[in-house]
Amino acid sequence: MPDRPLWTSAEIVAATGGTLSGAAFETRGITYNSREIVPGDLFLALKGARDGHDFAAAAFAAGAAGAITEHPVEGGPSVVVADTLRALEALGMAARDRTKARRGAVTGSVGKTSVTQAIKAGLDLAGPSHASIKSYNNHIGVPLTLSRMPRMTERAVFEIGMNAPGEIAPLSKMVRPHAACVTTVGPVHIEAFADGEAGVAAEKASIFEGLVEDGVAVFNADVAFAAVLDAGARRAGARIATFGSAAGCDARLIDFQPHDTGARVRAELFGRTIEFELAQSGYHWGLNSLCVLLMLDALDVPLETGLAALSEFQPLAGRGQTLTVHAPGGDFTLIDESYNANPLSMAAGFRSLGARPLPATGGRRVVVLTDMLELGDQSEALHEGLSGPIEAAGLDLVHAAGPEMKRLYDDLPGSRQGLWRETAAELAAEAAMLVGKGDIVMVKGSNGSKASLIAKALAALGSPSSSDAPRAER
């Protein structure tokens, strides 16, 4: 792309309706965290638990070229606005409108970050692209990602999340996607919905409200509430593209064969039989890959480009990275799924672990679990309900931490019970007791229940093999 500024102060004034205080400036990036400032950035003084205005001086000292503030500040020039969050939203929509980029939006109870990044991999191969980073999917992350979109972007994809009803539609309307997808629907954040999973489905379907005219609605036809998603797409006047395992889906999964370095997928795409390789071996990546291909098709990315991207797409931190740990007691395989968890992803992880072949020299399939959060009054039943998928997957041993996982632990037969501790930190302190030579160990739990402490402790038992490229089991 040409070396042009991301924003000039004049453009910021025009987009936000603010007033320039100080000298004119140009910026190359934008952030609201003064510790992340790169010289030439625009600093956004948001008000939250702490007032961003208190950090403006530090931002300028770190090299900020300018700021958006609600009053003049010392240290450098700023565009003064009535409300910095509203200004960020306005800047994001101005960035959207000044490009000709085709835009995609992704939501879902499981897999939205991974699917977003897999779509990005395809967009990157197709031309100048832009995408959400990390899990920037809320009322700050979405407009921030929009505002960072370069002028010459041809395609972009945005992750949209929620914690409560009414959050997704406004963000989708901000993005105005040409294609939007729902990866799946499950019992996640259900404590915020009086009607439980049905309410979650309706909230996810609201992503279609933001679609441009003749936009494409992509969704998982296998989920129990597919009819809710279909109704939402039809209300939005969208063209519908479905993925699933049943006849009649636009992208139909026929076969998924995991192997040592990923999986081989056989599918039908718009009536055409295709076979392709994935770098992921988790079973749910069969459907995830079809979601990605439908989204890329809607964003005018050739099929061959999408398949090439999927064949090389690598795992994200805490979402299935696989490594061999050379521990004093013998090598074992660690699958780090510590970033997040819910009943759907737990079951998928168990199935994938159960399908992995053990070394000829022996070993066990072991899971280390921490509490799933935000499940409301269904938490007890949903934790206890994990025993069925564990049994079906044929897993050998279960270690657990947390009061909710104690419910599952107590429901397991004694032969599967490993260690249980009150907290992840306590279990992490006994990492050496959790594994043995030849074991394949998956660590999974909600981010808030600190499963990552256990994954880090297990990795620290030895030096990961430098020749092991991370692979996904998510």
Side-chain angles (χ1 to χ4, degrees):
M1 294 184 186
D3 186 24
R4 299 178 60 186
L6 181 64
W7 293 101
T8 67
S9 53
E11 290 169 335
I12 297 169
V13 167
T16 64
T19 303
L20 179 62
S21 173
F25 59 87
E26 296 181 348
T27 70
R28 301 284 167 175
I30 177 172
T31 183
Y32 61 87
N33 188 338
S34 62
R35 294 170 296 182
E36 296 179 353
I37 289 289
V38 172
D41 273 357
L42 173 69
F43 175 65
L44 182 71
L46 290 178
K47 291 181 175 178
R50 303 186 70 177
D51 189 343
H53 293 80
D54 295 340
F55 302 93
F60 283 120
I68 297 179
T69 62
E70 293 178 8
H71 54 74
V73 293
E74 294 184 0
S78 65
V79 174
V80 179
V81 298
D83 185 307
T84 50
L85 179 57
R86 300 286 88 79
L88 174 62
E89 293 171 352
L91 201 63
M93 289 184 283
R96 175 199 70 194
D97 293 342
R98 73 181 181 183
T99 76
K100 296 181 179 179
R102 290 187 64 80
R103 299 174 299 277
V106 180
T107 195
S109 296
V110 182
K112 55 183 174 292
T113 299
S114 295
V115 166
T116 297
Q117 297 305 315
I119 293 170
K120 178 185 183 296
L123 301 187
D124 286 346
L125 293 181
S129 67
H130 181 67
S132 304
I133 62 170
K134 303 178 184 178
S135 292
Y136 278 23
N137 60 23
N138 65 3
H139 67 291
I140 295 173
V142 171
L144 181 64
T145 302
L146 275 168
S147 71
R148 289 172 167 174
M149 184 162 56
R151 305 165 192 271
M152 303 304 292
T153 301
E154 294 178 359
R155 298 174 183 86
V157 61
F158 301 84
E159 180 181 338
I160 298 179
M162 65 89 184
N163 290 302
E167 294 182 344
I168 288 178
L171 297 177
S172 181
K173 291 174 182 177
M174 201 177 295
V175 172
R176 293 291 288 155
H178 296 80
C181 69
V182 179
T183 60
T184 190
V185 174
V188 183
H189 303 302
I190 54 176
E191 64 181 8
F193 293 84
D195 48 353
E197 200 169 333
V200 172
E203 177 67 15
K204 297 299 183 184
S206 70
I207 196 172
F208 303 137
E209 295 179 25
L211 283 166
V212 301
E213 185 176 355
D214 202 35
V216 180
V218 175
F219 62 85
N220 187 336
D222 282 1
V223 302
F225 291 92
V228 176
L229 304 179
D230 183 79
R234 294 182 187 281
R235 282 195 302 272
R239 289 184 287 139
I240 294 174
T242 60
F243 61 95
S245 56
C249 290
D250 296 286
R252 181 189 179 192
L253 181 64
I254 298 173
D255 190 35
F256 184 91
Q257 292 294 330
H259 51 68
D260 287 346
T261 59
R264 182 76 176 170
V265 180
R266 186 165 181 263
E268 287 181 355
L269 184 65
F270 301 119
R272 170 188 171 188
T273 299
I274 59 173
E275 293 190 12
F276 56 94
E277 288 289 329
L278 293 177
Q280 333 287 339
S281 56
Y283 278 96
H284 48 296
W285 265 98
L287 292 184
N288 278 357
S289 66
L290 299 186
C291 178
V292 170
L293 292 177
L294 288 177
M295 286 292 289
L296 290 174
D297 177 78
L299 297 174
D300 293 336
V301 175
L303 174 61
E304 293 72 19
T305 303
L307 295 179
L310 283 171
S311 71
E312 298 294 331
F313 179 64
Q314 296 298 316
L316 309 178
R319 291 179 171 93
Q321 288 179 331
T322 301
L323 60 155
T324 299
V325 179
H326 301 297
D331 294 358
F332 66 91
T333 299
L334 172 63
I335 303 170
D336 182 2
E337 284 271 11
S338 62
Y339 184 79
N340 216 337
N342 55 65
L344 287 178
S345 65
M346 283 284 192
F350 299 157
R351 185 184 180 195
S352 298
L353 177 58
R356 289 187 63 107
L358 291 168
T361 54
R364 303 165 298 177
R365 298 178 183 91
V366 181
V367 286
V368 187
L369 306 175
T370 64
D371 289 352
M372 300 181 291
L373 306 179
E374 300 181 354
L375 297 178
D377 58 9
Q378 296 187 43
S379 183
E380 178 177 353
L382 291 172
H383 279 83
E384 290 178 349
L386 296 179
S387 60
I390 288 171
E391 171 70 28
L395 305 188
D396 298 301
L397 193 64
V398 179
H399 304 295
E404 295 303 305
M405 275 300 169
K406 184 66 159 60
R407 304 178 190 280
L408 166 66
Y409 184 83
D410 289 343
D411 200 46
L412 294 170
S415 60
R416 278 204 174 94
Q417 289 180 331
L419 300 181
W420 174 85
R421 296 294 182 263
E422 186 70 30
T423 67
E426 292 175 67
L427 200 56
E430 299 181 73
M433 302 294 293
L434 306 180
V435 293
K437 179 181 179 181
D439 287 354
I440 305 174
V441 185
M442 176 181 288
V443 179
K444 193 162 183 64
S446 287
N447 195 36
S449 59
K450 307 297 184 183
S452 62
L453 295 178
I454 302 170
K456 290 175 182 176
L458 286 168
L461 292 176
S463 300
S465 171
S466 60
S467 62
D468 287 329
R471 298 190 303 275
E473 292 285 340
R474 56 187 195 277

